[in-house]
Amino acid sequence: MATVVKARAARQRGATEQLADRAEAEKGASLPLGRILEGDCIAAMRGLPTASVDMVFADPPYNLQLGGDLNRPDGSHVDAVTDAWDKFDSFKTYDAFTKGWLTEARRVLKPNGSLWVIGSYHNIFRVGAILQDLGFWILNDIVWRKANPMPNFKGTRFTNAHETLIWASTGEKARYTFNYRAMKTLNDELQMRSDWVLPICGGAERIKRDGSKAHPTQKPEALLYRVMLATTNKGDVVLDPFFGTGTTGAVARRLGREWIGCEREADYIAVAEERIAMALPLDESALTTMQSPRAAPKVAFGQLVETGWIAPGTEIFDKKRKFVAHVRADGSLTSGSACGSIHGLGAQLQGAPSCNGWSFWHVEHGGEVKPIDALRQLYLLATED
């Protein structure tokens, strides 16, 4: 009877999962995935379904308020941001524009989605205040410290060597994605800090047309790579309301994320489409990242015993072979008169308060000595769907 009930429950779970997958697929089908929506970003976002994207990355106009030409000490011209799209009549006009696109960004984000916005001292404080007024909850401000900043040619101020990113959830109590373990691995097993040292876009990555920059504020792919790897998962939908030359789309394609862009400048759209078409997606195995202990599949040592990966009676030992134990049928270990779990017995034999049995105990497998954690990883690979 219990077997019948379990089978029925499994079928019900399977049916529920199929319905959820179908609903997600239908939602995805209604989204313009992999497309650049031409025109004003606010109008374009209004055409997207509510709660349909996982992350918004926004690199809005900075409203730099530059007056006149900027020249180097040798008299050569600096290719600064003087385009019409970065000019606003007043702070009031800029604030109204900011509130408009942030309102739509909040509407299209899923409840567990997040917002990233980047800016400079000209605009980021105004943007931050407005997004807080709209109900976003700031999780971090990230300082992107430029490894090779443009100098202050006039010598009248400090060299402006950083930009600021705000990472926010949809509300104080909202859930959000943060791939902590992947970030720690990316940072040589140290916690990733909120100050990121990355070079500005240059060299072969800087897209040019007729010898000039295709876009004056093209962001480095490394910046978007870190943002997406940290706060999205494979298959998530990333929206960029200020798409420019398509850095977000190119990185999303490499990392197996879906993307939608909004852009009003036809020249930028042409560059972005060509660039994204050339971006090569990473293969499936490369997309797998380190998981946090909470997210990783749970495997008990007993599972390795009951599935035959480690047979009852197997002799296991520490790396220096100072301690030897034998595996019992229930996954417990025995060593002389002492017995316990892989962790408990390991601690007991060493006289230590605790022990990670997975790395402490070793076994001969395939002609090699390996920690039993290696067998756990092989088991996980063998049982992946």
Side-chain angles (χ1 to χ4, degrees):
M1 182 64 182
T3 302
V4 173
V5 172
K6 286 182 180 179
R8 186 181 301 146
R11 286 196 298 272
Q12 289 173 342
R13 282 196 304 272
T16 302
E17 290 170 359
Q18 287 178 359
L19 288 172
D21 291 343
R22 190 178 306 157
E24 192 67 27
E26 289 172 356
K27 182 181 284 187
S30 67
L31 289 171
L33 300 178
R35 283 180 50 197
I36 306 173
L37 308 178
E38 188 171 1
D40 174 72
C41 68
I42 298 174
M45 284 193 284
R46 283 176 181 154
L48 299 177
T50 298
S52 58
V53 304
D54 298 283
M55 188 184 87
V56 172
F57 179 86
D59 182 9
Y62 286 9
N63 192 24
L64 294 177
Q65 310 128 51
L66 296 177
D69 291 334
L70 181 62
N71 296 305
R72 297 181 179 87
D74 63 3
S76 60
H77 178 68
V78 177
D79 189 11
V81 184
T82 57
D83 304 75
W85 51 258
D86 193 60
K87 295 178 180 177
F88 293 82
D89 294 336
S90 64
F91 286 133
K92 183 177 180 181
T93 304
Y94 185 79
D95 291 350
F97 166 74
T98 300
K99 184 177 181 181
W101 73 258
L102 279 171
T103 298
E104 283 305 307
R106 182 171 171 77
R107 182 187 64 80
V108 301
L109 272 172
K110 295 176 182 177
N112 61 346
S114 62
L115 167 79
W116 284 85
V117 58
I118 186 170
S120 69
Y121 67 88
H122 301 88
N123 72 323
I124 197 64
F125 303 107
R126 309 188 77 85
V127 173
I130 293 169
L131 67 84
Q132 285 182 307
D133 289 342
L134 291 174
F136 284 101
W137 188 259
I138 295 178
L139 299 168
N140 275 118
D141 64 325
I142 304 293
V143 174
W144 166 33
R145 187 157 67 86
K146 301 172 183 178
N148 52 342
M150 183 182 294
N152 183 273
F153 293 109
K154 292 183 178 180
T156 56
R157 303 182 187 181
F158 296 107
T159 297
N160 185 26
H162 78 277
E163 293 184 28
T164 301
L165 298 96
I166 294 174
W167 175 38
S169 65
T170 57
E172 181 180 2
K173 305 296 184 183
R175 297 174 65 86
Y176 54 89
T177 295
F178 180 48
N179 298 316
Y180 168 82
R181 193 66 187 80
M183 287 296 97
K184 190 173 181 181
T185 304
L186 195 68
N187 197 40
D188 287 340
E189 292 304 318
L190 296 174
Q191 281 193 345
M192 183 70 77
R193 292 162 42 126
S194 62
D195 53 335
W196 299 354
V197 181
L198 297 167
I200 61 174
C201 190
E205 186 182 346
R206 169 64 77 173
I207 301 172
K208 294 188 176 182
R209 288 292 182 268
D210 301 322
S212 299
K213 297 175 184 176
H215 193 291
T217 63
Q218 181 183 336
K219 296 299 182 290
E221 291 192 6
L223 186 70
L224 272 296
Y225 186 99
R226 187 173 295 186
V227 165
M228 283 190 213
L229 200 65
T231 58
T232 64
N233 295 310
K234 182 177 178 292
D236 281 357
V237 179
V238 179
L239 168 68
D240 187 336
F242 307 97
F243 203 61
T245 55
T247 304
T248 298
V251 175
R253 187 160 191 251
R254 284 176 59 202
L255 291 178
R257 276 63 168 165
E258 302 287 355
W259 62 268
I260 303 168
C262 305
E263 180 52 57
R264 70 182 195 183
E265 304 292 328
D267 289 346
Y268 296 161
I269 292 174
V271 172
E273 289 177 337
E274 179 182 335
R275 177 185 185 184
I276 295 168
M278 295 174 63
L280 297 176
L282 298 179
D283 63 46
E284 198 71 24
S285 61
L287 285 174
T288 304
T289 61
M290 294 289 286
Q291 296 175 304
S292 69
R294 286 180 297 177
K298 300 295 182 184
V299 177
F301 181 68
Q303 283 180 258
L304 300 185
V305 177
E306 66 187 0
T307 54
W309 283 80
I310 296 180
T314 298
E315 182 178 277
I316 63 176
F317 40 85
D318 68 301
K319 191 172 183 179
K320 296 181 178 179
R321 295 184 183 259
K322 180 179 179 181
F323 305 107
V324 176
H326 291 85
V327 180
R328 299 197 293 195
D330 63 354
S332 63
L333 307 181
T334 179
S335 178
S337 60
C339 63
S341 68
I342 58 171
H343 311 297
L345 184 62
Q348 184 180 345
L349 293 176
Q350 297 178 87
S354 62
C355 171
N356 181 349
W358 290 109
S359 57
F360 177 74
W361 293 109
H362 290 62
V363 67
E364 290 189 10
H365 179 81
E368 297 180 25
V369 173
K370 298 179 180 180
I372 58 174
D373 186 57
L375 271 65
R376 176 170 61 166
Q377 301 308 319
L378 290 173
Y379 170 78
L380 285 169
L381 287 172
T383 54
E384 281 182 350
D385 291 332

